[in-house]
Amino acid sequence: MSRIKKIGVLTSGGDAPGMNAAIRAVVRTAIFNNLEVVGVKQGYEGLIKGDFETMKSYDVSNIIQKGGTILCSARSEEFRSVEGRKKAHEQMLAAKIDALVVIGGDGTFSGARIFTQEYDIPVVGIPGTIDNDLFGTDYTIGFDTALNTVIEAVDKIRDTASAHNRLFFIEVMGRDAGFLALRSGIATGAEAILIPERQTHLKDLEKYLAKGYKGHKNSGIVIVAEGDKSGGAYTIAREIEKKHPEYDIRVSVLGHMQRGGSPSAFDRVTASTLGVAAVDALLDDQKSIMVGMVNGEVSHVSFNKTIKNKKVVKDSLLTLNDILSI
Ligand SMILES: Nc1ncnc2c1ncn2[C@@H]1O[C@H](COP(=O)(O)OP(=O)(O)O)[C@@H](O)[C@H]1O
Ligand SMILES: O=P(O)(O)OC[C@H]1O[C@](O)(COP(=O)(O)O)[C@@H](O)[C@@H]1O
Ligand SMILES: [Mg+2]
């Protein structure tokens, strides 16, 4: 029999579509198992301030389809300090919260790992980030929705690019990760994809463009991940413009619209599955783990493993785009 009676749930880091579906699943699974559940507002900031709200089943009605997070999210500087985490622990003791479900990305889990090393509190993580950059899960909640949002935007840009015979550099999110750029590039038939995990030389990019955009096509799309080493879409566009004044170049930075919107069916189902799995794991006395999806099944990966290992970008996908973009 688990000793856990009351759990807290929070969302942290960049928000992602499907976080609400995960909150709903955590709250309802906890109640189903006769646990009390409190929502912690604004991620670790709320934990430090004791910003807690008891949640009932009806508090999570009508949220499965909503983007953002009803609990709000934050990037908390204070939680990075020993004092900040001490305050968070004191607030948890005062509210009699025995365990936590944290929904977020790699940073959120790094914070959770340190917290569980300092204090003996069971914490289970649910991967929620549009970046899909977590080792130990094929998908993170929000990635599929963001991907579809990017695709819709790029398709529209392609229409106007074709009408004017233009070359567009489109910047998508991903400070450290190129998964969104890579998949959206393939799905929109981009002429080139630039991601942080690979160095693309200007000469190679010029070659692609000479073959594709200036070869026989009436438009060109280069997808640039925010964190690409070339310095972002504007920088790389300027470099190409200097060498090729004959190209008609435009830049579009998609920005935070990529993080909003109603979650896709895939993200809703993944979020629901992982929300249930997270509470089940706590009831099973597991701690310091992330629940994820591998080959369609729920996986359990230690925070240590998911933090220390880097999810690998498949070379085969880059090769595939090289073949298809000629
Ligand atoms: N090394 C760390 N120690 C303590 N807390 C951390 C650490 N790294 C991240 N965090 C906490 O997790 C929060 C979310 O991390 P961040 O990287 O912004 O987003 P994500 O979880 O989506 O990757 C940070 O604002 C911070 O409060
Ligand atoms: O909203 P902010 O603070 O500008 O952060 C932007 C970053 O957040 C993300 O959207 C999501 O990153 P995290 O999930 O790691 O928080 C990145 O793709 C992007 O680089
Ligand atoms: Mg992150």
Side-chain angles (χ1 to χ4, degrees), residues 272-288:
S272 302
T273 306
L274 295 182
V276 174
V279 177
D280 279 350
L282 283 175
L283 289 171
D284 197 26
D285 288 331
Q286 300 201 51
K287 48 172 80 172
S288 299

Side-chain angles (χ1 to χ4, degrees), residues 13-14 75 105-106 128-131 133 173-175 226 256 259:
R75 302 193 198 273
D106 52 342
T129 166
I130 65 160
D131 288 351
D133 57 349
M173 276 188 162
R175 237 189 321 233
E226 189 186 347
H256 286 80
R259 285 228 301 258

Side-chain angles (χ1 to χ4, degrees), residues 110-163:
S110 298
R113 180 178 64 158
I114 297 172
F115 193 52
T116 56
Q117 282 164 352
E118 291 170 340
Y119 305 100
D120 189 24
I121 291 169
V123 183
V124 170
I126 298 178
T129 166
I130 65 160
D131 288 351
N132 201 26
D133 57 349
L134 284 165
F135 178 89
T137 185
D138 293 341
Y139 294 103
T140 58
I141 296 164
F143 176 63
D144 183 67
T145 307
L147 192 52
N148 283 293
T149 302
V150 171
I151 289 169
E152 209 182 315
V154 176
D155 286 349
K156 287 178 179 160
I157 293 173
R158 177 73 86 173
D159 288 345
T160 170
S162 303

Side-chain angles (χ1 to χ4, degrees), residues 5-22:
K5 292 195 170 54
K6 194 192 247 189
I7 67 169
V9 55
L10 61 82
T11 48
S12 160
D15 65 310
M19 279 184 163
N20 280 326

